[in-house]
Each structure stands twice: as structure tokens, then as C-alpha cells.
Amino acid sequence: MTNTLFDALFAPHVGNPATFLECDDGTTLTYDAFLKRAAQLAHVLVETGVQPGDRVLVQAPKLSDIIALYAAAVQAGAIYLPLNTAYTQAELDYFMQDADPSLIVCNSKDETTVRALAKTRGTAVLTLGGAAGSLSRAADDKSTEFTAVERGPDDLAALLYTSGTTGRSKGAMLSHNNLLSNAIALTDLWEITSDDRLIHALPIFHTHGLFVAMNTSLLAGAKVRFCEAFDLEVILHELPQSTLLMGVPTFYTRILADTRFTKDLVDNMRVFVSGSAPLLAETHREFEDRTGHRILERYGMTETNMITSNPLNGERLAGTVGYPLSGTEVVISDPDTGASQPFGEIGMIEVRGDNVFQGYWNMPEKTAEELRETGFFLTGDLGIQTEDGRVSIVGRSKDLIISGGYNIYPKEIEDVLNDLPDVVESAVFGVPNPDFGESVVAAIVAETDGTLSIEAVKESVQSKLARFKHPREYLLLEALPRNTMGKVQKNVLRETYGT
Ligand code: MLC
Ligand code: AMP
């Protein structure tokens, strides 16, 4: 019986006595103990009625059981669907409707609300959250062996939602081979081995923290210092005993801002990886000056896993995202005609390879718009490529704000604002922010009767959207700047209000 991802990432660790996870409370889990736990959880999934191909929706705290749950879903042949823990009830409701999961695993403290949402659909609900979690408790007396369900390379392993320019989140369908091929390419390129110890301080519900960080560690048999969240004190404490850190640029600016971060602290470190948002060349240089290490920047997307990376052995150039990974092709095309651009000319970054997803869940039209029949995916990022293949990102053709590594689509916020009775129209845009890279500003044109209350606007936004999407500033304007075609000029808003 084969199960592509399980056989490669998990099964080889049966009986492996090496440490896998080291958690905040000091507990450690060997690879063997982890696999036994995953098997117990897989039994609970099956007993709850999860069938191969079913979605298991997970919005739960970053505890060791959540990684075991990922392994359990894979071996049970289910599709793992992780969600940002910051999502509101309204957002969760959308994902439940769209993905139609057979099981929801939530934080114990959210059980009552989640049950109320799930009830109308008859979806099962279990909880994670230490010993009190019903999933954890149900697993405790189960068998520590489980025969993995047959799954091939093209079967789906995960469904990851990514917001869209239309304001509706789309579920990116990722196959076993999408995930495995990328994990192999990154582990080889970054030479990750069982001698490595990774500081894992990223969230566990996105490509970066779940697949880039965990799948490579699992493949290599590395140790993972599993931190519940980014905490500067913990990072500074762990650096001397670690070899790898994977982070978004905010990690690096925050670390650099602390004078205790010195060269001595990173003597044992091998690689610092950055991605999910642009790393300023200034941060790259400051990091090198302080530590002698050049941050290794790579580029990826939910739909494509990782696409390019600076080399481990070779020049890591600030402001570039390096070369296409092994098995991944990149072309730069004219955004209007789709024709291939000559080297050095700006165009749309398109990507093809085993890493590219299978399409959007239940959205064949959207899939056809973004995934060509030739297999090339249109990233919406604008870039250039030099003759030797090195890629630089120079902008985005999609209206997107990236704040602290989280993607925020203005349309989703504008829809909420425009629905309010006193709002005529709105425009949401990103402005530079020293901590998060960009932060969200909303410009609102209100009805002329003067009754609009910004407090009421904030309340409404709060009930509908996760905190990280909330505008940090509201501007009341008489009109939005528009070009002769009537299109709102967000560049003008950014230039006028960017500082
Ligand atoms: C937290 N807040 C944010 C935020 N993170 N607001 C905007 N943008 C963010 N990214 C909110 C908090 O709710 C809080 O609200 C306030 O801002 C300050 O919080 P904080 O304590 O300073 O933030 P912190 O919890 O330390 O989180 C910051 C962070 C975190 C950078 C560590 O956002 C993070 O881990 N980001 C990584 C995201 C990531 O994994 N992206 C990968 C996507 S995959 P209040 O109420 O207190 O004001 C991808 C593909 C690829 O993009 O290539 O990898
Ligand atoms: P997501 O859809 O959350 O996976 O985010 C993917 C987007 O993050 C990409 O389309 C890019 O715009 C951006 N991104 C990822 N890595 C980098 C990077 N190294 N530099 C600049 N942008 C990046």
C-alpha cells in the first residue's frame, strides 16, 4: 500500500529515537513517539467518520498535537485544511461552507461557537488545547499503529485558502506530489540534515510554517524547536543551540533592533531563510554587517509552494529571490499578451512544475484564468530574470498588501466598508511600515449628512475580519482620486498618504 507523502516524510521515522519536537513547556517528542501519536489521532479521525478525500478543517493552537494531526490526516487519506487562528466566526463560516469538511478541529475555548456553526451542516467537531482537548483525549487510548490509506502522487493532501482580488478566498488544492517534490528540492538545496536544529516560530497554518519548515525537517529528520509564536526572547535564547531559522522579514528587522543580537550568538547557525514578503536590501546588509551571515531569500506562493531560492553555496544577492528550484520552470511574460519577455525586461512571473497546485477548489473558471493549459501558473507578481536565470521581484500586478508576511486583499476590506450605510465608497491601500513592511490604510468617502462614525466602522470591521486585516488608519476624503477611465488611483493615495 503506498501513500506518497506519508511514505516519504513520516514512515521512515518509525522506531527513530531521535528528537523531533522540542516545545515551549520543555517537553520533547522523539520521531518514534510522534509517529505513534499521529497513528492514535488517525484512528480518531476514522472513527469520527473521516473518509479518504474528506476535508479536515483545523483552526487550533500551535501545539505538538497539531503537527501529529497533519500526519494523521495524511495517513488517513484526508485533505488537511489549516486556517489562521485569527479568523473571525464570519470568516470561518465561509470556509466551512466552501470546503464542506467532515470534521472541524478547533481550539477548546472556541468549541461552543464552532459547534453552533457546524450544527446546521452536521459536521463533527473535536478540540485541541492541551489535555482538555477532546481530540487529544480521544486519542490517548488508541492503538499506536495505523495502516496508511492508499494515496497516489496526484491525490490531494491539503487545501490552503488564499485571499483573492475578487474578495473571495480560494482554496488551493495541493497534491501529495506538489508537497513532496518541493520538500525534496528545498532539503537538497539548503542541505538540511538530521544534524540541523530549526527554530520554528512561524504560524503553522501557512505554506511557510507548515510545508517549507516542517516538511523539510521531516524529510531530513532534523530537530525542531517548536515555538508557539514569535517571541524575541525565545529566539535570542535558542540561537546558540540552533542551525536554522526560517522567517518573514519582520523577524529579521525585530531581531536586528535588539542590541543583544550579536555575532557570538549565531556561531552555531548555518542558514537564515527569509520569504513571504520582500526583504529590504538594507536589512540584508545590516544583517551581514552584524553577523557575517547573508540571509538566504527565497520566493513562493500558496498555489506553487516555493518557486525560487538564492543559493546555499553561491552568491546570495540582496533584492533578488534567486534561481528556479530544481524541477521548476520560470518564464517572464508580457502581462497583456502573455508573450515571453526577453531577459532583463519586466513582466509577469509565470511558473510551471511539480510544485504547482491542481487548481482552486470548486472554482474551475478562476483556475482557468490563472493556470494556463500549458501548465504555467500566473503568479500576479512582476519580475525580471537575468540570462543566467536569477529572478528579482519588482512589483505586483495584483492589488495586494503584505503585512508581516500575511496577505491582505484590499477588495475584501472594501467590500465590508462599502456595505455600511453611511459609506459611499472606499479604497484600501498599503503604506510602508517599519515593522510589518506594509500596513493597511482605508480611505472612505462618506454620505454628506455627516453621520458616519469611524468607531462604528471599526466595530463592523472587527466583527467580520481578522485583526491583521484591520486598517490601522482611516482617512475621510471628499472624493477618491481617479484616472480618466474612472479607475481609483491607489498609487496617488499611496504617494499622498504613504508617510
Ligand atoms: C499580528 N498583527 C498583525 C500581524 N501580526 N497585524 C498586521 N500584520 C501582521 N502580520 C496584529 C496583532 O493581532 C496585534 O493586534 C498587533 O498586530 C501587534 O501584534 P504583535 O504582537 O506585534 O505581532 P506578533 O504576534 O508578534 O506577530 C507578528 C508576526 C506574525 C510578524 C510575528 O504576524 C507572523 O508570524 N507572521 C508570519 C506570517 C506568515 O507565516 N506568512 C507566510 C504566508 S505563506 P493588536 O490588537 O494588539 O493591535 C506565503 C508564501 C511564502 O506567503 O512565500 O512563504
Ligand atoms: P501567499 O499567497 O500568501 O502564499 O503569498 C504569496 C505572495 O507573497 C507572492 O505572490 C509574492 O507576492 C509574495 N512573496 C513571497 N515571497 C516573497 C519574496 N521573497 N519577496 C517578495 N515577495 C514575496
Side-chain angles (χ1 to χ4, degrees), residues 89-104:
Q89 211 177 310
E91 289 166 311
L92 177 61
D93 196 33
Y94 169 79
F95 296 117
M96 280 168 57
Q97 275 190 42
D98 196 61
D100 189 23
S102 62
L103 169 66
I104 298 172

Side-chain angles (χ1 to χ4, degrees), residues 233-245:
E233 296 302 319
V234 174
I235 304 276
L236 294 177
H237 180 262
E238 296 299 337
L239 280 169
Q241 299 85 253
S242 304
T243 61
L244 281 172
L245 176 68

Side-chain angles (χ1 to χ4, degrees), residues 405-424:
Y406 285 140
N407 283 10
I408 300 165
Y409 278 86
K411 175 78 167 63
E412 195 183 357
I413 304 165
E414 288 160 1
D415 284 349
V416 171
L417 298 175
N418 295 344
D419 267 355
L420 297 172
D422 298 325
V423 171
V424 177

